[in-house]
Coordinates of all heavy atoms in Angstrom, one line a residue:
G91 N 235.6 55.0 165.1 CA 234.2 55.5 165.3 C 233.2 54.7 164.6 O 232.2 54.3 165.2
S92 N 233.3 54.6 163.3 CA 232.3 53.9 162.5 C 233.0 53.3 161.2 O 233.9 53.9 160.6 CB 231.2 54.8 162.1 OG 230.4 54.2 161.1
L93 N 232.6 52.1 160.9 CA 233.1 51.4 159.7 C 232.3 51.9 158.5 O 231.2 52.4 158.7 CB 233.1 49.9 159.8 CG 234.0 49.3 160.9 CD1 233.7 47.8 161.0 CD2 235.4 49.5 160.5
K94 N 232.9 51.7 157.3 CA 232.2 52.1 156.1 C 231.9 50.8 155.3 O 232.6 49.8 155.5 CB 233.0 53.1 155.2 CG 233.3 54.4 155.9 CD 234.1 55.3 155.0 CE 234.5 56.6 155.7 NZ 235.4 56.5 156.8
D95 N 231.0 50.9 154.3 CA 230.8 49.8 153.4 C 232.0 49.3 152.7 O 232.2 48.1 152.5 CB 229.7 50.1 152.4 CG 228.3 50.3 153.0 OD1 228.1 49.8 154.1 OD2 227.5 51.1 152.5
T96 N 232.9 50.3 152.4 CA 234.2 49.9 151.7 C 235.1 49.1 152.6 O 235.9 48.3 152.1 CB 234.9 51.2 151.2 OG1 235.0 52.1 152.3 CG2 234.1 51.9 150.1
D97 N 235.0 49.4 153.9 CA 235.8 48.6 154.8 C 235.4 47.1 154.8 O 236.2 46.2 154.9 CB 235.7 49.1 156.3 CG 236.2 50.6 156.4 OD1 237.2 50.9 155.7 OD2 235.6 51.3 157.2
I98 N 234.1 46.9 154.8 CA 233.5 45.6 154.8 C 233.9 44.9 153.5 O 234.4 43.7 153.5 CB 232.0 45.6 154.9 CG1 231.5 46.4 156.1 CG2 231.4 44.2 154.9 CD1 232.0 45.8 157.4
L99 N 233.9 45.6 152.4 CA 234.3 45.0 151.1 C 235.8 44.6 151.1 O 236.2 43.6 150.6 CB 234.0 45.9 149.9 CG 232.5 46.1 149.6 CD1 232.4 47.2 148.5 CD2 232.0 44.8 149.0
A100 N 236.6 45.5 151.7 CA 238.1 45.3 151.8 C 238.4 44.0 152.6 O 239.3 43.2 152.3 CB 238.8 46.5 152.4
I101 N 237.7 43.9 153.7 CA 237.9 42.7 154.6 C 237.5 41.4 153.8 O 238.2 40.4 153.9 CB 237.1 42.9 155.9 CG1 237.7 44.0 156.8 CG2 237.1 41.5 156.7 CD1 236.8 44.3 158.0
K102 N 236.4 41.5 153.1 CA 235.9 40.3 152.3 C 237.0 39.9 151.3 O 237.3 38.7 151.1 CB 234.6 40.6 151.6 CG 233.4 40.5 152.5 CD 232.1 40.8 151.6 CE 230.9 40.7 152.4 NZ 229.7 41.0 151.6
R103 N 237.6 40.9 150.6 CA 238.5 40.6 149.5 C 239.9 40.2 150.0 O 240.5 39.4 149.3 CB 238.5 41.8 148.6 CG 237.3 42.1 147.8 CD 237.3 43.4 147.1 NE 236.1 43.7 146.4 CZ 235.8 44.9 145.9 NH1 236.6 45.9 146.0 NH2 234.7 45.1 145.2
Q104 N 240.3 40.8 151.1 CA 241.7 40.7 151.4 C 242.0 39.7 152.6 O 243.1 39.4 152.8 CB 242.3 42.1 151.8 CG 242.3 43.1 150.7 CD 242.8 44.4 151.1 OE1 243.8 44.6 151.8 NE2 242.1 45.5 150.6
C105 N 240.9 39.3 153.2 CA 241.1 38.4 154.4 C 240.6 37.0 154.0 O 239.4 36.7 154.2 CB 240.4 38.9 155.6 SG 241.0 40.6 156.1
S106 N 241.4 36.1 153.6 CA 241.0 34.8 153.1 C 240.4 33.9 154.2 O 239.5 33.1 153.9 CB 242.2 34.1 152.4 OG 243.3 34.0 153.3
P107 N 240.8 34.0 155.4 CA 240.2 33.1 156.4 C 238.7 33.5 156.8 O 238.0 32.7 157.4 CB 241.1 33.2 157.7 CG 242.4 33.8 157.2 CD 242.0 34.7 156.0
V108 N 238.3 34.7 156.4 CA 237.0 35.2 156.7 C 236.0 34.5 155.8 O 236.0 34.7 154.6 CB 236.9 36.7 156.6 CG1 235.4 37.2 156.8 CG2 237.8 37.4 157.6
L109 N 235.1 33.8 156.3 CA 234.1 33.0 155.5 C 232.9 33.9 155.3 O 232.3 33.9 154.2 CB 233.7 31.8 156.3 CG 234.8 30.8 156.6 CD1 234.3 29.6 157.4 CD2 235.5 30.3 155.3
E110 N 232.4 34.6 156.3 CA 231.2 35.5 156.2 C 231.4 36.7 157.0 O 232.1 36.6 158.1 CB 229.9 34.7 156.6 CG 229.4 33.8 155.5 CD 227.9 33.3 155.9 OE1 227.8 32.4 156.6 OE2 227.0 34.0 155.4
I111 N 230.8 37.8 156.6 CA 230.9 39.0 157.4 C 229.5 39.6 157.5 O 228.7 39.6 156.5 CB 231.9 40.0 156.8 CG1 232.0 41.2 157.7 CG2 231.5 40.4 155.4 CD1 233.3 42.0 157.4
A112 N 229.1 40.1 158.7 CA 227.8 40.6 158.9 C 227.9 42.0 159.6 O 228.1 42.0 160.9 CB 227.0 39.7 159.8
P113 N 227.8 43.1 158.9 CA 227.9 44.4 159.5 C 226.6 44.7 160.3 O 225.5 44.2 159.9 CB 228.1 45.3 158.3 CG 227.5 44.6 157.2 CD 227.7 43.1 157.4
E114 N 226.7 45.6 161.3 CA 225.5 45.9 162.1 C 225.6 47.3 162.5 O 226.7 47.8 162.9 CB 225.5 45.0 163.3 CG 224.4 45.3 164.3 CD 224.6 44.6 165.7 OE1 224.1 43.5 165.8 OE2 225.3 45.2 166.5
A115 N 224.5 48.0 162.6 CA 224.3 49.3 163.2 C 223.2 49.2 164.2 O 222.2 48.5 163.9 CB 224.1 50.4 162.2
S116 N 223.3 49.8 165.3 CA 222.2 49.6 166.3 C 221.9 50.8 167.1 O 222.8 51.7 167.2 CB 222.6 48.4 167.3 OG 223.8 48.7 168.0
T117 N 220.8 50.9 167.7 CA 220.4 51.9 168.6 C 219.3 51.4 169.5 O 218.8 50.3 169.4 CB 219.9 53.2 167.8 OG1 219.7 54.3 168.7 CG2 218.6 52.9 167.1
Y118 N 218.8 52.3 170.4 CA 217.7 51.9 171.3 C 216.5 52.8 171.0 O 216.7 54.0 170.8 CB 218.1 52.0 172.8 CG 219.1 51.0 173.2 CD1 220.4 51.3 173.1 CD2 218.7 49.8 173.8 CE1 221.4 50.4 173.5 CE2 219.7 48.9 174.2 CZ 221.0 49.2 174.1 OH 221.9 48.3 174.5
L119 N 215.3 52.2 171.0 CA 214.1 53.0 170.8 C 213.0 52.7 171.8 O 212.9 51.5 172.1 CB 213.5 52.8 169.4 CG 214.2 53.5 168.2 CD1 213.5 53.1 166.9 CD2 214.3 55.0 168.3
D120 N 212.2 53.7 172.2 CA 211.0 53.4 173.0 C 209.8 53.3 172.1 O 209.5 54.2 171.3 CB 210.8 54.6 174.0 CG 211.9 54.6 175.1 OD1 212.3 53.5 175.5 OD2 212.3 55.7 175.5
I121 N 209.2 52.1 172.1 CA 208.1 51.8 171.2 C 206.8 51.9 172.0 O 206.6 51.3 173.1 CB 208.3 50.5 170.6 CG1 209.5 50.4 169.8 CG2 207.0 50.1 169.7 CD1 209.9 49.1 169.2
P122 N 205.8 52.7 171.6 CA 204.6 52.9 172.3 C 203.7 51.6 172.3 O 203.7 50.9 171.3 CB 203.9 54.0 171.6 CG 204.5 54.0 170.2 CD 205.9 53.6 170.4
C123 N 203.1 51.3 173.4 CA 202.2 50.1 173.5 C 200.9 50.6 174.2 O 200.7 51.8 174.5 CB 202.8 48.9 174.1 SG 203.2 49.2 175.9
S124 N 200.0 49.7 174.5 CA 198.7 50.0 175.1 C 198.9 50.7 176.4 O 199.9 50.4 177.2 CB 197.9 48.7 175.2 OG 198.6 47.8 176.0
G125 N 198.0 51.5 176.8 CA 198.0 52.2 178.1 C 199.0 53.3 178.2 O 199.4 53.6 179.3
N126 N 199.3 53.9 177.1 CA 200.2 55.1 177.0 C 201.6 54.7 177.6 O 202.3 55.6 178.1 CB 199.6 56.3 177.8 CG 198.4 56.8 177.1 OD1 198.3 56.9 175.9 ND2 197.4 57.2 177.9
R127 N 202.0 53.5 177.5 CA 203.3 53.0 178.0 C 204.2 52.9 176.8 O 203.8 52.8 175.7 CB 203.2 51.7 178.8 CG 202.4 51.8 180.0 CD 202.3 50.4 180.7 NE 201.7 49.5 179.8 CZ 201.8 48.1 179.9 NH1 202.5 47.6 180.9 NH2 201.1 47.3 179.1
Q128 N 205.5 52.8 177.1 CA 206.5 52.6 176.1 C 207.5 51.5 176.6 O 207.8 51.4 177.8 CB 207.3 53.9 175.9 CG 206.5 55.0 175.2 CD 207.4 56.2 174.8 OE1 208.3 56.6 175.5 NE2 207.0 56.8 173.7
I129 N 207.9 50.7 175.6 CA 208.8 49.6 175.9 C 210.1 49.9 175.1 O 210.1 50.1 173.9 CB 208.2 48.3 175.5 CG1 206.9 48.1 176.2 CG2 209.1 47.1 175.8 CD1 206.1 46.9 175.7
N130 N 211.2 49.7 175.8 CA 212.5 50.0 175.1 C 213.0 48.7 174.4 O 213.1 47.6 175.0 CB 213.5 50.4 176.2 CG 214.8 50.9 175.6 OD1 215.8 50.2 175.5 ND2 214.8 52.1 175.1
F131 N 213.4 48.9 173.2 CA 213.9 47.8 172.3 C 215.3 48.1 171.8 O 215.6 49.3 171.6 CB 212.9 47.5 171.2 CG 211.8 46.6 171.5 CD1 210.6 47.1 172.1 CD2 211.9 45.2 171.2 CE1 209.6 46.2 172.4 CE2 210.8 44.4 171.5 CZ 209.7 44.8 172.1
E132 N 216.1 47.1 171.5 CA 217.3 47.3 170.7 C 216.9 47.1 169.3 O 216.3 46.2 168.9 CB 218.3 46.1 171.1 CG 218.9 46.2 172.5 CD 219.9 45.1 172.7 OE1 220.3 44.4 171.7 OE2 220.3 44.9 173.8
I133 N 217.3 48.1 168.5 CA 217.0 48.1 167.0 C 218.4 47.8 166.3 O 219.3 48.6 166.5 CB 216.4 49.4 166.6 CG1 215.3 49.9 167.5 CG2 216.0 49.3 165.1 CD1 214.1 48.9 167.5
H134 N 218.4 46.8 165.5 CA 219.6 46.4 164.8 C 219.4 46.4 163.3 O 218.5 45.8 162.8 CB 220.0 44.9 165.2 CG 220.3 44.8 166.7 ND1 221.6 44.8 167.1 CD2 219.6 44.5 167.7 CE1 221.6 44.7 168.4 NE2 220.4 44.5 168.8
G135 N 220.2 47.3 162.7 CA 220.2 47.3 161.2 C 221.2 46.2 160.7 O 222.4 46.3 161.1
V136 N 220.7 45.2 160.0 CA 221.6 44.1 159.6 C 221.4 43.7 158.2 O 220.5 44.2 157.5 CB 221.2 42.8 160.5 CG1 221.5 43.2 162.0 CG2 219.8 42.4 160.3
T137 N 222.3 42.8 157.7 CA 222.2 42.2 156.4 C 221.7 40.7 156.5 O 221.7 40.2 157.6 CB 223.6 42.3 155.7 OG1 224.5 41.5 156.5 CG2 224.1 43.7 155.7
P138 N 221.4 40.1 155.3 CA 221.0 38.7 155.4 C 222.0 37.8 156.0 O 221.6 36.8 156.6 CB 220.7 38.4 153.9 CG 220.4 39.7 153.3 CD 221.2 40.7 154.0
S139 N 223.3 38.0 155.9 CA 224.3 37.2 156.4 C 224.3 37.1 158.0 O 224.8 36.2 158.6 CB 225.7 37.6 155.9 OG 225.9 38.9 156.3
Y140 N 223.7 38.1 158.6 CA 223.6 38.2 160.0 C 223.0 37.0 160.6 O 223.3 36.5 161.7 CB 222.8 39.5 160.4 CG 222.9 39.9 161.9 CD1 224.0 40.7 162.3 CD2 222.0 39.5 162.8 CE1 224.0 41.1 163.6 CE2 222.1 39.8 164.1 CZ 223.1 40.7 164.5 OH 223.2 41.0 165.9
K141 N 222.0 36.5 160.0 CA 221.2 35.3 160.5 C 222.2 34.1 160.7 O 222.1 33.5 161.8 CB 220.1 34.9 159.5 CG 219.3 33.7 159.9 CD 218.2 33.4 158.9 CE 217.4 32.2 159.3 NZ 218.1 31.0 159.0
A142 N 223.0 33.8 159.7 CA 223.9 32.7 159.8 C 225.1 33.0 160.8 O 225.5 32.1 161.6 CB 224.5 32.3 158.5
V143 N 225.6 34.2 160.7 CA 226.8 34.5 161.5 C 226.4 34.6 163.0 O 227.2 34.1 163.8 CB 227.4 35.9 161.1 CG1 228.5 36.3 162.0 CG2 227.9 35.8 159.6
R144 N 225.3 35.1 163.4 CA 224.9 35.3 164.8 C 223.9 34.1 165.2 O 223.4 34.2 166.3 CB 224.2 36.6 165.0 CG 225.1 37.8 164.9 CD 226.3 37.8 165.8 NE 226.0 37.4 167.2 CZ 225.5 38.2 168.1 NH1 225.4 39.5 167.8 NH2 225.3 37.8 169.3
C145 N 223.7 33.2 164.4 CA 222.9 32.0 164.7 C 221.5 32.4 165.1 O 221.0 32.0 166.2 CB 223.6 31.1 165.8 SG 225.2 30.6 165.4
I146 N 220.8 33.2 164.3 CA 219.5 33.6 164.6 C 218.5 32.5 164.1 O 218.6 32.1 163.0 CB 219.1 34.9 163.9 CG1 220.1 36.0 164.3 CG2 217.7 35.4 164.2 CD1 220.1 36.4 165.7
E147 N 217.7 32.0 165.0 CA 216.7 31.0 164.6 C 215.3 31.7 164.4 O 214.8 32.4 165.3 CB 216.6 29.9 165.7 CG 215.7 28.8 165.4 CD 215.6 27.7 166.5 OE1 216.6 27.6 167.2 OE2 214.6 27.0 166.6
I148 N 214.7 31.5 163.3 CA 213.4 32.0 163.0 C 212.3 31.1 163.3 O 212.3 29.9 162.8 CB 213.3 32.4 161.5 CG1 214.4 33.5 161.1 CG2 211.9 33.0 161.1 CD1 214.2 34.8 161.8
R149 N 211.4 31.5 164.2 CA 210.3 30.7 164.7 C 209.2 30.6 163.6 O 208.7 29.6 163.3 CB 209.7 31.2 166.0 CG 210.6 31.0 167.2 CD 210.6 29.6 167.6 NE 211.1 29.5 169.0 CZ 211.3 28.4 169.7 NH1 211.2 27.2 169.0 NH2 211.7 28.4 170.9
H150 N 208.8 31.8 163.2 CA 207.8 32.0 162.2 C 208.2 33.1 161.2 O 208.9 34.0 161.5 CB 206.4 32.3 162.8 CG 206.0 31.4 163.9 ND1 205.5 30.1 163.6 CD2 206.0 31.5 165.3 CE1 205.2 29.5 164.7 NE2 205.5 30.3 165.7
G151 N 207.7 33.0 160.0 CA 208.0 34.0 159.0 C 209.3 33.8 158.4 O 209.8 32.7 158.2
R152 N 210.0 34.9 158.1 CA 211.3 34.8 157.4 C 212.2 35.9 158.0 O 211.8 36.8 158.7 CB 211.2 34.9 155.9 CG 210.7 36.3 155.5 CD 210.8 36.4 153.9 NE 210.2 37.7 153.5 CZ 211.0 38.8 153.3 NH1 212.2 38.8 153.7 NH2 210.4 39.9 152.9
F153 N 213.5 35.8 157.6 CA 214.5 36.8 158.0 C 214.6 37.8 156.8 O 214.1 37.6 155.7 CB 215.8 36.2 158.4 CG 216.8 37.1 159.1 CD1 216.4 37.5 160.4 CD2 217.9 37.6 158.6 CE1 217.3 38.3 161.1 CE2 218.8 38.4 159.3 CZ 218.5 38.8 160.6
I154 N 215.4 38.8 157.0 CA 215.7 39.9 156.0 C 216.5 39.2 154.9 O 217.4 38.5 155.1 CB 216.5 41.0 156.6 CG1 215.7 41.7 157.7 CG2 217.0 42.0 155.6 CD1 216.5 42.5 158.7
N155 N 216.1 39.5 153.6 CA 216.8 39.0 152.4 C 217.4 40.1 151.6 O 217.3 41.3 152.0 CB 215.8 38.1 151.6 CG 214.6 38.9 151.0 OD1 214.7 40.1 150.8 ND2 213.5 38.2 150.9
Q156 N 218.1 39.8 150.5 CA 218.8 40.7 149.7 C 217.9 41.8 149.1 O 218.3 42.9 149.0 CB 219.6 40.0 148.7 CG 220.7 40.9 148.0 CD 221.7 41.4 148.9 OE1 222.2 40.7 149.8 NE2 222.0 42.7 148.8
A157 N 216.7 41.3 148.7 CA 215.7 42.3 148.1 C 215.3 43.4 149.1 O 215.2 44.5 148.7 CB 214.5 41.5 147.6
D158 N 215.1 43.0 150.4 CA 214.8 43.9 151.4 C 215.9 45.0 151.6 O 215.6 46.1 151.8 CB 214.6 43.2 152.8 CG 213.4 42.2 152.7 OD1 212.4 42.5 152.0 OD2 213.6 41.2 153.4
L159 N 217.1 44.5 151.5 CA 218.3 45.3 151.6 C 218.4 46.3 150.4 O 218.6 47.5 150.6 CB 219.5 44.5 151.7 CG 220.8 45.0 152.4 CD1 220.5 45.2 153.9 CD2 222.0 44.1 152.2
S160 N 218.3 45.8 149.2 CA 218.4 46.6 148.0 C 217.3 47.6 147.9 O 217.6 48.8 147.5 CB 218.4 45.7 146.8 OG 219.4 44.7 146.8
L161 N 216.1 47.3 148.3 CA 215.0 48.2 148.2 C 214.7 49.1 149.4 O 213.8 49.9 149.4 CB 213.7 47.4 147.8 CG 213.8 46.7 146.5 CD1 212.5 45.8 146.4 CD2 213.9 47.6 145.3
C162 N 215.6 48.9 150.5 CA 215.4 49.7 151.7 C 214.0 49.5 152.3 O 213.4 50.5 152.6 CB 215.8 51.1 151.5 SG 217.5 51.4 150.9
R163 N 213.5 48.3 152.3 CA 212.1 48.1 152.7 C 212.0 48.3 154.2 O 212.9 48.1 155.0 CB 211.7 46.6 152.4 CG 211.5 46.4 150.9 CD 211.2 44.9 150.7 NE 210.9 44.7 149.3 CZ 210.9 43.5 148.7 NH1 211.3 42.4 149.4 NH2 210.6 43.4 147.4
K164 N 210.8 48.8 154.6 CA 210.4 49.1 156.0 C 209.8 47.8 156.5 O 208.6 47.8 156.8 CB 209.5 50.3 156.1 CG 210.2 51.6 155.6 CD 209.3 52.8 155.8 CE 210.0 54.1 155.3 NZ 210.4 54.0 153.9
I165 N 210.6 46.8 156.8 CA 210.2 45.5 157.3 C 211.0 45.2 158.6 O 212.1 45.8 158.7 CB 210.2 44.4 156.3 CG1 211.7 44.3 155.7 CG2 209.2 44.6 155.2 CD1 212.6 43.3 156.3
A166 N 210.5 44.4 159.4 CA 211.2 44.1 160.7 C 211.0 42.6 161.1 O 210.0 42.0 160.8 CB 210.7 45.0 161.8
V167 N 212.0 42.1 161.8 CA 211.9 40.8 162.4 C 212.1 41.1 163.9 O 213.0 41.7 164.4 CB 213.1 39.9 162.0 CG1 213.0 38.6 162.7 CG2 213.0 39.6 160.5
I168 N 211.1 40.6 164.7 CA 211.1 40.9 166.1 C 211.5 39.6 166.9 O 211.1 38.5 166.5 CB 209.7 41.4 166.6 CG1 209.8 41.9 168.1 CG2 208.6 40.4 166.4 CD1 208.6 42.7 168.5
E169 N 212.2 39.8 168.0 CA 212.6 38.6 168.8 C 211.4 38.3 169.8 O 210.9 39.2 170.4 CB 213.9 39.0 169.6 CG 214.4 37.8 170.4 CD 215.7 38.3 171.2 OE1 215.5 39.1 172.1 OE2 216.7 37.7 170.8
E170 N 211.1 37.0 169.9 CA 210.1 36.6 170.8 C 210.5 36.9 172.3 O 211.7 37.0 172.6 CB 209.7 35.2 170.7 CG 210.8 34.2 171.1 CD 210.4 32.8 170.9 OE1 209.3 32.5 170.5 OE2 211.3 31.9 171.2
G171 N 209.6 37.0 173.2 CA 209.9 37.2 174.6 C 208.8 38.0 175.3 O 207.8 38.3 174.7
K172 N 209.1 38.4 176.5 CA 208.1 39.2 177.3 C 207.8 40.5 176.7 O 206.6 41.0 176.7 CB 208.7 39.4 178.7 CG 208.7 38.1 179.5 CD 209.2 38.4 181.0 CE 209.2 37.1 181.8 NZ 209.7 37.3 183.1
K173 N 208.8 41.2 176.1 CA 208.5 42.5 175.5 C 207.7 42.4 174.3 O 206.8 43.2 174.0 CB 209.8 43.2 175.2 CG 210.6 43.7 176.4 CD 211.8 44.6 176.0 CE 212.4 45.2 177.3 NZ 213.5 46.1 177.0

Side-chain angles (χ1 to χ4, degrees):
S92 172
L93 294 173
K94 302 180 179 67
D95 292 336
T96 52
D97 298 327
I98 303 301
L99 289 172
I101 292 171
K102 279 183 181 179
R103 290 170 181 168
Q104 299 177 42
C105 302
S106 55
V108 175
L109 304 176
E110 280 194 275
I111 185 166
E114 173 195 272
S116 62
T117 189
Y118 292 89
L119 284 181
D120 290 324
I121 298 175
C123 66
S124 59
N126 294 322
R127 295 178 302 162
Q128 291 189 324
I129 304 173
N130 190 260
F131 275 83
E132 291 181 11
I133 311 300
H134 296 266
V136 299
T137 61
S139 59
Y140 192 89
K141 178 177 179 288
V143 173
R144 292 303 314 276
C145 303
I146 305 295
E147 183 180 335
I148 298 298
R149 291 286 201 188
H150 304 287
R152 66 173 179 86
F153 196 68
I154 294 159
N155 60 31
Q156 193 59 44
D158 300 324
L159 204 66
S160 302
L161 298 172
C162 301
R163 287 173 175 162
K164 295 180 180 62
I165 52 95
V167 175
I168 189 169
E169 184 181 68
E170 67 179 359
K172 290 182 179 179
K173 287 189 174 182

